[in-house]
Amino acid sequence: MALLELEEVRAGYGPTSVLHGVSLSVPEGQIVSLLGANGAGKTTTLRSITGGVHWTGDIRFAGRSLRRMHTEDVVRCGIAHVPEGRGILTELTVDENLKLGSHLRRDGAAVRKDYDRVFEYFPVLRERRGLSASTLSGGEQQMLALARAFLMKPRLMLLDEPSLGLAPLIVRAIFEIIRTINTEDRVAVLLVEQNARLALEMSSDAYVLEVGRVAVSGTSSELKGNDAVRRSYLGY
Amino acid sequence: MQELLQQIVSGIATGGIFASLALALVLIYNAMGLVNFAQGEMAMLATFVALALIDHGMNYWIAFPVTLVIAFAGGIAIERVVIRPVERAPILTLVIITLGLATLINGLAGFIFGYVPRAFPSPFSVQTVNILGALASYQDLGVIAVSGVVLLAIYMLLQHTTVGLTMRAAAHHPEASRLLGVHVSWMLALGWGLASAVGSVSGIMVAPILLLQPNMMQTIIIYAFAAAVLGGIESPLGAVVGGVIVGVTVNLAGVYLPFVGGDLQLAVALAIIVGVLVLKPNGLFGRPSVRRV
Ligand SMILES: Nc1ncnc2c1ncn2[C@@H]1O[C@H](COP(=O)(O)OP(=O)(O)O)[C@@H](O)[C@H]1O
Ligand SMILES: [Mg+2]
């Protein structure tokens, strides 16, 4: 049984329906890519999972339906969602942002170890601990968002375009750490990306959304190898 | 000079009273972008509760924290019962609800306790003590000490505890906070509880001076508005500094400007409100506002 399963999920904003029956699954410990053009409904899919939009169909996490659950309770089940725009609390310091990641945990010793790891991955965050998060650059904010998600000790991370607006070198570094977190801690990842080439390198499975429907799905290597799919859906 | 110093100490004491109520306003404003017009009346009701406890033989220093706890619970109850159902309503609706709440609490207090002003005990004597040549009353010093301790406690709670952190997070970034597992709606309720408790300190501190009756806080709330606006309505520190500045200014104006006297002090507060809003809308400590709506 997969860790996360979406079954015929329909969702939208008020009268506008955006998802017209999306089904997908993320196996335990795997990275799954969710690709598609701008406006296809990738962000809306992630928002459905954490209860940010109203949806019908079914979404199950670790065998348990998330129907009618509030965002904060979904998150407490072990899902860390780094939203579009990163969700940095710019009124607070870097340290306070990190603390909000770990504030629900009771395993104090493990939390301290995880902080050490976070600062090892992203030394710049240690240097900026006391500063307002608003002073960070885009890349640093993405690092903070990822670090904070890691400190939540989730079973699943939802990452919404972590590469958006960042220089290639920084994107490399960030994806490297996503991979590390995935392999070392067996954290599953549902990765939304515009950069399909990059995402397919990381993931085991992939789904391509087209106007609110899954147009293609398969293993990442299948999709990478299929020229027709590449040309019509992935744009490279 | 000595006289001036005395007036300043006395102004700081008054300022502490304003600051407590101003901080209450700021806590709720931060949590939901709402000016709670019922804050003063909530404080007045809590002060009646304190008096009832003391009249039943409870020691002042026990009645004081007990009242704060009751006010805290009352604030949470008001949020859950009155505000929660309309949480997502336009801000004007909420403002009108707090105005209605103010009227309701005022009427309720009048109905239960009557309008005859009652003496309220002070634990501090009115005798004076000589500090560096200036005479300060124990009453003023006591009010300064109590307000100072309460404001410091709130500061520590907000800045140095996890629950304070989640309250601030929920106030500034509700959506992002939810994604971090913060129960935003409960944080709002907690904000109301805390505001209610801090606000009641101002009621209890001012009651020995003004005598307790249902309309006691109606001028104090104006001074508190002035303090909060001067400090920058979003800043807890600003509320405290604003409170002290308003307290001292109003006190000095009453004593040294012959045309102000005792009667026009409230006009000074209103002048501060208008002046700040026109000249420096973000107040002393406020950030230039790009606010969520
Ligand atoms: N808050 C919103 N209100 C109304 N429509 C929205 C909102 N957010 C997104 N949409 C619409 O939903 C569709 C899918 O958007 P989104 O899920 O953000 O796509 P993607 O993340 O794949 O670019 C788009 O047509 C977009 O215009
Ligand atoms: Mg998107």
Coordinates of all heavy atoms in Angstrom, one line a residue, chain B residues 141-180:
Chain B
L141 N 4.3 54.4 42.8 CA 5.4 53.4 42.6 C 4.8 52.0 42.5 O 5.3 51.2 41.7 CB 6.3 53.5 43.7 CG 7.1 54.8 43.8 CD1 8.0 54.9 45.0 CD2 7.9 55.1 42.5
G142 N 3.8 51.7 43.3 CA 3.2 50.4 43.2 C 2.5 50.1 41.9 O 2.7 49.0 41.3
V143 N 1.8 51.1 41.4 CA 1.2 50.9 40.0 C 2.2 50.7 39.0 O 2.1 49.8 38.1 CB 0.3 52.1 39.7 CG1 -0.1 52.1 38.2 CG2 -0.9 52.2 40.6
I144 N 3.3 51.4 39.1 CA 4.4 51.3 38.1 C 5.0 49.9 38.2 O 5.2 49.2 37.2 CB 5.5 52.3 38.3 CG1 5.0 53.7 38.0 CG2 6.8 52.0 37.5 CD1 6.0 54.8 38.3
A145 N 5.2 49.4 39.4 CA 5.8 48.1 39.6 C 4.9 47.0 39.1 O 5.3 46.1 38.4 CB 6.1 47.8 41.1
V146 N 3.6 47.1 39.4 CA 2.6 46.0 39.0 C 2.5 46.0 37.5 O 2.6 45.0 36.8 CB 1.2 46.2 39.6 CG1 0.2 45.3 39.0 CG2 1.3 45.9 41.1
S147 N 2.3 47.2 36.9 CA 2.2 47.3 35.4 C 3.5 46.7 34.8 O 3.5 46.0 33.8 CB 2.0 48.7 34.9 OG 1.0 49.3 35.7
G148 N 4.6 47.1 35.4 CA 5.9 46.7 34.8 C 6.1 45.2 34.8 O 6.4 44.6 33.8
V149 N 5.7 44.6 35.9 CA 5.8 43.1 36.0 C 4.9 42.4 35.0 O 5.3 41.5 34.3 CB 5.5 42.6 37.5 CG1 5.3 41.1 37.5 CG2 6.6 43.1 38.4
V150 N 3.7 42.9 34.9 CA 2.7 42.3 34.0 C 3.2 42.4 32.6 O 3.1 41.5 31.8 CB 1.3 42.9 34.2 CG1 0.4 42.5 33.1 CG2 0.7 42.5 35.6
L151 N 3.6 43.6 32.2 CA 4.0 43.9 30.8 C 5.3 43.0 30.5 O 5.4 42.4 29.4 CB 4.3 45.4 30.6 CG 3.1 46.3 30.8 CD1 3.5 47.7 30.6 CD2 2.0 45.9 29.8
L152 N 6.2 42.9 31.5 CA 7.4 42.1 31.3 C 7.0 40.6 31.1 O 7.5 39.9 30.3 CB 8.3 42.3 32.5 CG 9.7 41.6 32.3 CD1 10.5 42.4 31.2 CD2 10.5 41.6 33.6
A153 N 6.0 40.2 31.9 CA 5.6 38.8 31.8 C 5.0 38.5 30.4 O 5.3 37.5 29.8 CB 4.5 38.5 32.9
I154 N 4.2 39.4 29.9 CA 3.7 39.3 28.6 C 4.8 39.2 27.5 O 4.8 38.4 26.6 CB 2.7 40.4 28.2 CG1 1.5 40.3 29.1 CG2 2.2 40.3 26.8 CD1 0.6 39.2 28.9
Y155 N 5.7 40.1 27.7 CA 6.9 40.2 26.8 C 7.6 38.8 26.8 O 7.9 38.3 25.7 CB 7.8 41.3 27.1 CG 9.1 41.3 26.3 CD1 9.1 41.8 25.1 CD2 10.2 40.7 26.8 CE1 10.3 41.8 24.3 CE2 11.4 40.6 26.1 CZ 11.4 41.2 24.8 OH 12.6 41.1 24.1
M156 N 7.9 38.3 27.9 CA 8.6 37.0 28.0 C 7.8 35.9 27.4 O 8.3 35.1 26.6 CB 8.9 36.7 29.5 CG 9.8 37.6 30.2 SD 11.4 37.8 29.4 CE 12.2 36.3 29.9
L157 N 6.5 35.9 27.6 CA 5.6 34.9 27.1 C 5.7 35.0 25.5 O 5.8 33.9 24.9 CB 4.2 35.1 27.5 CG 3.2 34.1 26.9 CD1 3.3 32.8 27.6 CD2 1.8 34.6 27.0
L158 N 5.5 36.2 25.0 CA 5.5 36.3 23.5 C 6.8 36.0 22.9 O 6.9 35.3 21.8 CB 5.0 37.7 23.1 CG 3.5 38.0 23.3 CD1 3.3 39.5 22.9 CD2 2.7 37.1 22.5
Q159 N 7.9 36.5 23.5 CA 9.2 36.4 22.8 C 10.0 35.1 23.2 O 10.8 34.7 22.4 CB 10.0 37.6 23.1 CG 9.5 38.9 22.6 CD 9.4 38.9 21.1 OE1 10.3 38.4 20.4 NE2 8.4 39.6 20.5
H160 N 9.7 34.5 24.3 CA 10.6 33.5 24.8 C 10.0 32.2 25.1 O 10.5 31.3 25.8 CB 11.5 34.0 25.9 CG 12.4 35.1 25.6 ND1 13.5 34.9 24.8 CD2 12.3 36.4 25.9 CE1 14.1 36.1 24.6 NE2 13.4 37.0 25.3
T161 N 8.7 32.0 24.6 CA 8.1 30.7 24.8 C 7.6 30.2 23.5 O 7.4 31.0 22.6 CB 6.9 30.7 25.8 OG1 5.8 31.4 25.2 CG2 7.3 31.3 27.1
T162 N 7.4 28.9 23.4 CA 6.9 28.3 22.2 C 5.5 28.7 21.9 O 5.2 29.1 20.7 CB 7.0 26.7 22.3 OG1 8.3 26.3 22.5 CG2 6.5 26.1 21.0
V163 N 4.7 28.8 22.9 CA 3.3 29.2 22.7 C 3.3 30.7 22.2 O 2.5 31.0 21.3 CB 2.4 29.0 23.9 CG1 2.7 29.9 25.0 CG2 0.9 29.2 23.5
G164 N 4.2 31.5 22.7 CA 4.3 32.9 22.3 C 4.7 33.0 20.8 O 4.1 33.7 20.0
L165 N 5.6 32.1 20.5 CA 6.1 32.0 19.1 C 5.0 31.7 18.1 O 4.7 32.3 17.1 CB 7.3 31.0 19.0 CG 7.8 30.8 17.6 CD1 8.3 32.0 16.9 CD2 8.9 29.7 17.6
T166 N 4.2 30.6 18.5 CA 3.1 30.2 17.6 C 2.0 31.3 17.6 O 1.4 31.5 16.5 CB 2.5 28.9 18.1 OG1 2.2 28.9 19.5 CG2 3.5 27.7 17.9
M167 N 1.8 32.0 18.7 CA 0.8 33.1 18.6 C 1.3 34.2 17.6 O 0.5 34.7 16.8 CB 0.7 33.8 20.0 CG -0.2 32.9 21.0 SD -0.3 33.8 22.6 CE -1.3 35.1 22.1
R168 N 2.6 34.5 17.7 CA 3.0 35.6 16.8 C 3.0 35.1 15.3 O 2.6 35.8 14.4 CB 4.5 36.0 17.1 CG 4.5 36.8 18.4 CD 6.0 37.3 18.7 NE 6.8 36.2 19.1 CZ 8.1 36.0 18.6 NH1 8.6 36.8 17.8 NH2 8.8 34.9 19.1
A169 N 3.3 33.8 15.1 CA 3.3 33.2 13.8 C 1.9 33.3 13.2 O 1.6 33.7 12.1 CB 3.8 31.8 13.8
A170 N 0.9 32.8 14.1 CA -0.5 32.8 13.6 C -1.0 34.2 13.3 O -1.7 34.4 12.4 CB -1.3 32.1 14.7
A171 N -0.5 35.2 14.1 CA -1.0 36.5 13.9 C -0.5 37.1 12.6 O -1.3 37.7 11.8 CB -0.6 37.4 15.1
H172 N 0.8 36.8 12.3 CA 1.3 37.5 11.1 C 1.1 36.7 9.8 O 1.0 37.2 8.7 CB 2.8 37.8 11.3 CG 3.1 38.8 12.3 ND1 2.6 40.1 12.2 CD2 3.6 38.8 13.6 CE1 3.0 40.8 13.3 NE2 3.6 40.0 14.1
H173 N 1.2 35.3 9.9 CA 1.2 34.5 8.7 C 0.2 33.3 9.0 O 0.7 32.2 9.1 CB 2.6 34.0 8.4 CG 3.6 35.0 8.3 ND1 3.9 35.6 7.1 CD2 4.4 35.6 9.2 CE1 4.8 36.5 7.2 NE2 5.2 36.5 8.5
P174 N -1.1 33.5 9.0 CA -2.0 32.4 9.3 C -1.8 31.2 8.4 O -1.8 30.1 8.9 CB -3.4 33.0 9.3 CG -3.2 34.4 8.6 CD -1.8 34.8 8.8
E175 N -1.7 31.5 7.1 CA -1.7 30.3 6.2 C -0.4 29.5 6.3 O -0.5 28.3 6.5 CB -1.8 30.8 4.7 CG -3.2 31.3 4.3 CD -4.3 30.4 4.8 OE1 -4.1 29.1 4.6 OE2 -5.3 30.8 5.3
A176 N 0.7 30.2 6.4 CA 2.0 29.5 6.5 C 2.1 28.8 7.9 O 2.6 27.7 8.0 CB 3.2 30.5 6.4
S177 N 1.4 29.4 8.9 CA 1.5 28.8 10.2 C 0.7 27.5 10.2 O 1.1 26.5 10.9 CB 0.9 29.7 11.3 OG 1.7 30.9 11.3
R178 N -0.5 27.5 9.6 CA -1.3 26.2 9.5 C -0.4 25.1 8.9 O -0.5 24.0 9.4 CB -2.5 26.4 8.6 CG -3.6 27.1 9.4 CD -4.9 27.0 8.6 NE -5.8 27.9 9.3 CZ -6.1 29.1 8.9 NH1 -5.6 29.6 7.8 NH2 -6.9 29.9 9.7
L179 N 0.3 25.4 7.9 CA 1.2 24.3 7.3 C 2.3 23.8 8.2 O 2.9 22.8 8.0 CB 1.8 24.9 6.0 CG 0.8 25.0 4.8 CD1 1.6 25.5 3.6 CD2 0.2 23.7 4.5
L180 N 2.5 24.6 9.3 CA 3.5 24.1 10.3 C 2.8 23.5 11.5 O 3.4 23.2 12.5 CB 4.4 25.3 10.7 CG 5.2 25.9 9.5 CD1 5.8 27.2 9.9 CD2 6.3 24.9 9.1

